[in-house]
Amino acid sequence: MRTLDSHLHLWDPEVLTYSWLEGPLAGRFAAEEIESARIDGSTEERAIFVQAGTAVDDELDEVRWVAGQAERLGVVGIVAGARLDRGTDTTVHLESLTAEPLVVGVRHILQDEPDAVALSSAFVTGAREVAAHGWAFDACVRSWQLPDVARLSAAIPELRMVLDHLGKPAVGTAHAPLAPTAEWERDLAELARHPQVYCKVSGLPAEAGGDWSLAQLEPFLDTAADVFGPERLMWGTDWPVSAVGPAGTDAAPDAVPDAPSTYQPTARSRWADAVSTWADSRGIDRTALFHDTAATFYRL
């Protein structure tokens, strides 16, 4: 099976600055580490690099750092970091990104921003510039911010957008699963009414703190498939953020609750296997889910 990981992170704290790294994620995750985390059974493995929360002053350097090793990494597209609410500074930054042909999209992380930032006139202006460049926008938000993304899509119908991690719903854990809330289901369905918005099947292991099972997450995947349709879903690993879980095992159902967290090197393969099993059980085209949809969306 060919795989195009639509959501891969890379970082090296000795090269760039990341203020948020801590615990098992505080080290380097780059070329050598991804080689040890390749996906079992993948006949051709490629990836979209998604900006990893560097300091704002490092965002262009991050793009250059990834581009310089893209062939070795299997990276075929870059979603660059970009603050979209800074007026002239945004315009200059986006123009600078045009120098790198691997850039296929941008991400301004909204999950920790105040509500309605995405609806400000400055942000909407910046997002229109993204669309004018022909790039996509990755929307990384919390579940309660989904209505803002829907309104942004309505304001800029020409902007291709993809929702990261199903909007980060509360999923609980394998030991204490939560069902999808009515609010999340309603807001996801409202967002999915905008045909230029896609959804990444990614990130849920991190939302479960690494203690997850397919049975626990299937209701969330089913909801996404129902409202977006399988043709607007793309698979991603969210590596290495979604590769951290309880110590002692890579299989969370056997993990000890409340055990210290550790990096799980087989997490990408485990997520691929789980989503593949779910897709087969629902009659969803794996080739599209694992490769073709992301390739088309990002215009590779």
Side-chain angles (χ1 to χ4, degrees), residues 114-203:
D115 291 346
V117 164
L119 304 179
S120 68
S121 59
F123 191 98
V124 171
T125 297
R128 286 200 174 103
E129 291 186 44
V130 172
H133 281 289
W135 295 326
F137 176 69
D138 266 56
C140 183
V141 297
R142 307 288 183 185
S143 59
W144 58 86
Q145 296 170 307
L146 288 171
D148 288 352
V149 182
R151 293 186 185 101
L152 179 65
S153 181
I156 316 174
E158 68 273 21
L159 178 63
R160 289 174 295 118
M161 291 202 291
V162 60
L163 177 66
D164 293 345
H165 316 326
L166 281 73
K168 295 197 166 189
V171 300
T173 67
H175 294 89
L178 295 176
T181 65
E183 292 79 9
W184 175 76
E185 291 182 324
R186 176 199 65 209
D187 292 341
L188 196 73
E190 178 61 32
L191 177 59
R193 291 190 179 96
H194 299 270
Q196 76 276 30
V197 182
Y198 285 59
C199 182
K200 288 187 180 180
V201 179
S202 61

Side-chain angles (χ1 to χ4, degrees), residues 92-298:
V92 171
H93 181 68
L94 295 179
E95 284 298 323
S96 297
L97 291 176
T98 62
E100 177 45 63
L102 283 178
V103 172
V104 294
V106 302
R107 185 167 80 154
H108 173 145
I109 299 177
L110 291 166
Q111 65 180 19
D112 297 319
E113 297 273 24
D115 291 346
V117 164
L119 304 179
S120 68
S121 59
F123 191 98
V124 171
T125 297
R128 286 200 174 103
E129 291 186 44
V130 172
H133 281 289
W135 295 326
F137 176 69
D138 266 56
C140 183
V141 297
R142 307 288 183 185
S143 59
W144 58 86
Q145 296 170 307
L146 288 171
D148 288 352
V149 182
R151 293 186 185 101
L152 179 65
S153 181
I156 316 174
E158 68 273 21
L159 178 63
R160 289 174 295 118
M161 291 202 291
V162 60
L163 177 66
D164 293 345
H165 316 326
L166 281 73
K168 295 197 166 189
V171 300
T173 67
H175 294 89
L178 295 176
T181 65
E183 292 79 9
W184 175 76
E185 291 182 324
R186 176 199 65 209
D187 292 341
L188 196 73
E190 178 61 32
L191 177 59
R193 291 190 179 96
H194 299 270
Q196 76 276 30
V197 182
Y198 285 59
C199 182
K200 288 187 180 180
V201 179
S202 61
L204 296 188
E207 296 308 302
D211 174 14
W212 63 275
S213 70
L214 178 56
Q216 167 208 359
L217 300 181
E218 277 181 330
F220 298 89
L221 302 181
D222 287 342
T223 297
D226 287 344
V227 300
F228 281 96
E231 68 278 3
R232 282 193 283 154
L233 300 181
M234 62 184 78
W235 170 83
T237 64
D238 188 34
W239 183 88
V241 178
S242 281
V244 172
T249 176
D250 286 345
D254 300 324
V256 178
D258 301 323
S261 292
T262 188
Y263 169 66
Q264 301 175 339
T266 63
R268 293 181 80 225
S269 290
R270 184 179 173 221
W271 182 239
D273 289 343
V275 175
S276 179
T277 297
W278 167 76
D280 287 346
S281 71
R282 303 302 191 265
I284 293 173
D285 182 355
R286 277 194 290 163
T287 300
L289 178 62
F290 280 83
H291 186 278
D292 291 356
T293 299
T296 300
F297 176 82
Y298 282 115

